[in-house]
Amino acid sequence: MRFGINSLAGLVRNKLGFDPMNGDVFVFIGKRSNQIRILQWDRDGFAMYIKKLEKGTFERPILSGNSITSNQLSLLLQGVRLESVSYRKRYDALKRA
């Protein structure tokens, strides 16, 4: 996990096929799962957040596509197991028929 901002932006563009400057947040978990890097274009430059754990590991989420929600990212950074999280039923305007 020695990649910096430019290397991660290149990886997003060339390997993943996304535009790293579109404002999306890209999450990278290290091989040992004890380090996470988050890359985002912030209107006038890249911002990178790095978190390295002294103990324990980050969960590698099981994805149904290629994205996670902001809530899932927050839980991931806090060390909460995503598969054990249950949400209470709420109104969803998108599912309204």
Side-chain angles (χ1 to χ4, degrees):
M1 185 57 94
R2 291 180 279 181
F3 282 15
I5 289 174
N6 293 329
S7 299
L8 290 177
L11 185 67
V12 168
R13 182 180 309 281
N14 300 328
K15 295 287 185 183
L16 301 177
F18 294 104
D19 179 12
M21 298 169 87
N22 68 0
D24 288 344
V25 175
F26 298 94
V27 180
F28 301 90
I29 300 175
K31 187 189 293 187
R32 288 182 243 146
S33 298
N34 69 339
Q35 189 175 136
I36 194 166
R37 291 185 182 216
I38 300 172
L39 180 72
Q40 181 183 24
W41 177 258
D42 187 23
R43 288 177 285 174
D44 58 353
F46 283 107
M48 185 165 69
Y49 174 81
I50 302 170
K51 184 170 184 178
K52 185 173 183 180
L53 299 176
E54 292 296 320
K55 273 185 157 180
T57 59
F58 290 104
E59 176 184 359
R60 291 183 179 271
I62 299 169
L63 302 177
S64 59
N66 58 5
S67 64
I68 62 174
T69 66
S70 60
N71 289 339
Q72 290 172 321
L73 177 59
S74 178
L75 294 172
L76 178 75
L77 290 171
Q78 293 175 39
V80 176
R81 292 189 56 154
L82 296 177
E83 61 188 41
S84 66
V85 173
S86 63
Y87 294 97
R88 290 183 164 271
K89 191 173 184 177
R90 295 284 191 255
Y91 174 78
D92 188 356
L94 298 176
K95 292 184 181 177
R96 189 172 158 216

